[in-house]
Amino acid sequence: MKLPIDFYLRRNVTVIAKQLLGKILVTKVNGMITSGLIVETEAYSDKEKGSHAFRGMTKRNEVMFSDGGVAYVYLCYGVHEMFNVVTNEKGKADAILVRALEPQKGIDTMMERMKTDSQKRITSGPGKLTKALGIDRSFNGWELDSNEIWIEDGIEVKPKDIVSSKRIGIDYAGEDALLPWRFTLKNNPWVSR
DNA sequence: TACGTGATCACG
DNA sequence: GTGATCACGTAA
């Protein structure tokens, strides 16, 4: 079952970030289905310095300000496409970065895209999972109940299975870099780093 | 630990 | 226009 768009609206971004753990991200690119269980997320809001939206709307981040339930995809370090889930209502720029997946369907396709013979850690990192699932900036702004990219129900996750920690790679955000807004599934071997 | 990589953004 | 900067990944 695809998650309804309502799932992404009018709720706290850290709550949704935790609830995304155990859900399944699916893409259909060139007719190929690839999917993975979400095992690591990070929450961002326009109220804190870690977010692209902290200094207001720009051409790059404008989809963060739209109604929730769409993708925000941008290029990082000139090399990596990063996939985010936009949440909350129009004007409130909350987003959730998906940082790692446990591969499910289409593993051969993912290995081919990653140019590797091993299925080990092919989706363990925000830049890697987008490449493995065929996500690039052309997905920016797409609704997450489309037939090309969506998120569906996966496994049940209990509060005790969730670990909170500080977010990765945002030291520039000062004290906001310390917010415990990174969420991982406990003891899951597919989380990044 | 170091650095490639290129879009983006805040300057002028 | 220009230059600093960056929500990473890999090699060493």
Side-chain angles (χ1 to χ4, degrees):
Chain A
M1 282 286 283
K2 284 179 188 173
L3 301 183
I5 291 299
D6 199 52
F7 175 89
Y8 305 101
L9 302 177
R10 295 179 295 279
R11 299 194 299 129
N12 186 287
V13 66
T14 59
V15 171
I16 303 176
K18 284 185 260 195
Q19 290 181 354
L20 280 177
L21 295 175
K23 302 291 192 291
I24 298 176
L25 174 63
V26 191
T27 61
K28 185 175 175 186
V29 176
N30 297 328
M32 307 297 292
I33 297 262
T34 47
S35 71
L37 194 73
I38 298 173
V39 302
E40 177 175 351
T41 59
E42 282 180 0
Y44 290 86
S45 98
D46 52 15
K47 303 293 191 300
E48 47 85 18
K49 294 198 274 296
S51 173
H52 288 168
F54 181 68
R55 289 179 182 78
M57 192 188 293
T58 65
K59 183 154 192 177
R60 175 176 67 164
N61 69 18
E62 65 176 330
V63 332
M64 294 179 76
F65 290 83
S66 59
D67 269 316
V70 299
Y72 168 47
V73 184
Y74 69 94
L75 186 69
C76 180
Y77 295 106
V79 190
H80 306 106
E81 317 271 348
M82 309 282 269
F83 170 73
N84 295 252
V85 174
V86 175
T87 69
N88 219 328
E89 60 193 79
K90 193 174 177 64
K92 297 183 178 173
D94 290 347
I96 298 163
L97 173 67
V98 177
R99 289 189 55 88
L101 303 174
E102 176 174 330
Q104 303 273 310
K105 292 185 182 160
I107 294 178
D108 290 344
T109 302
M110 293 194 243
M111 287 164 53
E112 203 171 303
R113 288 177 182 148
M114 299 303 283
K115 302 193 195 316
T116 175
D117 294 328
S118 164
Q119 66 182 66
K120 225 171 152 8
R121 303 188 72 73
I122 51 176
T123 51
S124 298
K128 293 162 77 175
L129 71 90
T130 52
K131 191 174 178 191
L133 268 65
I135 298 171
D136 61 23
R137 279 163 287 168
S138 69
F139 283 84
N140 191 45
W142 279 42
E143 307 259 343
L144 293 174
D145 60 356
S146 71
N147 289 318
E148 288 74 27
I149 184 166
W150 69 91
I151 298 175
E152 62 185 32
D153 289 321
I155 63 173
E156 187 191 353
V157 172
K158 296 193 169 67
K160 69 176 178 56
D161 300 323
I162 299 174
V163 178
S164 304
S165 56
K166 67 176 188 176
R167 296 170 294 174
I168 305 288
I170 54 162
D171 291 343
Y172 60 85
E175 72 270 18
D176 288 336
L178 301 175
L179 291 170
W181 283 10
R182 173 178 179 238
F183 307 104
T184 58
L185 276 186
K186 195 173 190 173
N187 296 328
N188 187 289
W190 294 92
V191 301
S192 67
R193 303 237 192 186

